[in-house]
Amino acid sequence: MPNESASPATYVTHDLAVAEGDLRVGEWHPDAEGTPWLLVHGVTASHVAWAWVAAQSSARLIAPDLRGRGRSTASARRIGLAQHADDLAEVLDGLEVERAIVVGHSMGAFISLVFGERHPDRVERIVLVDGGLPLTLPRGMEPREAVRHVLGPTAARLDMRFPSEGAYRDFWRAHPAFTGREDPLLDAYFAYDLVGESPALRPATTFATVEADSIDQNAGEAIAGALERLRRPTRLIAAERGLLGEVSPLYPDLDGIRSRFPRLAATRRVPAVDHYSIVMSAPGARAVVQEVLAGE
């Protein structure tokens, strides 16, 4: 389980200065040889979401908290996918890494593609994990409406306050994607997600941060250009179930995706996982690691 007192040989954190803020970066297996993996989390997550992948891989794993998430500071002016992509380049600079294998989950997959577009020399290849490609939204839906439509209760919780870490964990136990799951890594993930003081603990991410990034993800120009060109070899793995554990996944038509984006090197469905557990569970993390290694 990742924590601040873990052995430096296994897990360390760094606080790197960037324009108008600081980024917290988690790093697993920092002394491992070979090309590091740069792990990019989802829209309301943090670097701790990659703890399950860290348990499945011995590669050097570098995972920042994106601006406004976890312990990274937000900026009212520096928002959007292109800014996150440029931040990733600064993370690699700060850790003296020339080139990485980039793995992005959910919104992190969109950011990974934009990073590959803006900094192709820093990217060996990209693995998209249940994200990175346009979602099918109801016709005529405004970008701001789309944020709550897609994220549902995940977005609603951002305005909530909790008296304790236990209360926050109980909130997540009621989420269909986490019902019945007892996992110390989940406990650590949800505890890290909270900031403030009891009895008014709150999620580290604000809705304003999520809204700004999500609008850029769904309507911005950066991702459109990145998808058109796909400058680096790119693979996609998609969950069998959606954000609420429902049968309909975010990407139901992989054949259609291959037809629309022929530059994709591979697409694969991962059975028995949802949008969260494709990263935040042992079976999902195993599939992620296998997909990274399949691109060698």
Side-chain angles (χ1 to χ4, degrees):
M1 180 173 67
N3 58 69
E4 298 293 340
S5 61
S7 166
T10 302
Y11 171 79
V12 295
T13 61
H14 314 274
D15 289 308
L16 302 180
V18 293
E20 297 185 18
D22 296 280
L23 298 182
R24 172 67 57 86
V25 181
E27 185 176 7
W28 288 271
H29 322 305
D31 298 323
E33 297 183 358
T35 305
W37 302 6
L38 179 61
L39 309 178
V40 192
H41 65 71
V43 67
T44 67
S46 72
H47 82 271
V48 183
W50 297 105
W52 290 262
V53 169
Q56 299 280 339
S57 171
S58 59
R60 181 184 180 187
L61 307 179
I62 298 167
D65 289 341
L66 298 174
R67 285 179 186 259
R69 282 84 170 174
R71 302 298 176 266
S72 293
T73 54
S75 168
R77 296 191 310 118
R78 296 180 178 273
I79 59 175
L81 303 189
Q83 180 61 62
H84 288 306
D86 291 347
D87 286 345
L88 295 181
E90 291 206 50
V91 168
L92 295 186
D93 289 342
L95 297 181
E96 299 182 343
V97 172
E98 182 176 342
R99 195 177 178 91
I101 298 165
V102 184
V103 184
H105 173 235
S106 193
M107 188 189 78
F110 290 85
I111 295 168
S112 298
L113 288 172
V114 176
F115 180 55
E117 168 76 4
R118 294 173 69 85
H119 304 277
D121 57 320
R122 312 302 297 271
V123 178
E124 183 170 302
R125 59 185 185 277
I126 298 171
V127 174
L128 310 176
V129 183
D130 220 35
L133 301 173
L135 299 175
T136 301
L137 299 172
R139 187 182 300 275
M141 178 173 284
E142 293 294 324
R144 283 181 170 80
E145 293 179 69
V147 177
R148 294 190 184 273
H149 172 78
V150 172
L151 296 179
T154 302
R157 87 178 196 284
L158 299 178
D159 294 326
M160 298 173 65
R161 298 296 180 265
F162 300 86
S164 65
E165 290 181 2
Y168 191 54
R169 182 68 181 91
D170 289 342
F171 169 85
W172 279 104
R173 282 191 175 94
H175 191 289
F178 295 98
T179 300
R181 286 192 60 191
E182 297 298 331
D183 181 344
L185 290 182
L186 279 179
D187 294 338
Y189 172 81
F190 293 128
Y192 184 80
D193 193 38
L194 291 172
V195 296
E197 300 291 336
S198 178
L201 296 167
R202 62 175 178 81
T205 307
T206 66
F207 183 76
T209 299
V210 169
E211 182 181 62
D213 284 339
S214 297
I215 290 172
D216 190 43
Q217 172 185 306
N218 292 317
E221 297 179 359
I223 187 61
L227 281 168
E228 179 182 351
R229 285 177 282 274
L230 286 181
R231 295 185 185 274
R232 306 306 301 152
T234 303
R235 308 170 71 90
L236 166 72
I237 57 172
E240 186 176 58
R241 294 177 177 270
L243 280 88
L244 298 177
E246 69 273 29
V247 173
S248 179
L250 290 184
Y251 296 104
D253 183 12
L254 294 189
D255 288 338
I257 286 174
R258 282 191 293 270
S259 175
R260 185 177 176 186
F261 302 100
R263 290 179 178 270
L264 280 173
T267 60
R268 179 166 68 92
R269 179 79 63 200
V270 181
V273 296
D274 57 47
H275 181 72
Y276 292 96
S277 61
I278 196 172
V279 167
M280 297 168 62
S281 73
R286 193 173 304 119
V288 171
V289 172
Q290 290 172 348
E291 199 64 26
V292 175
L293 298 178
E296 292 182 344

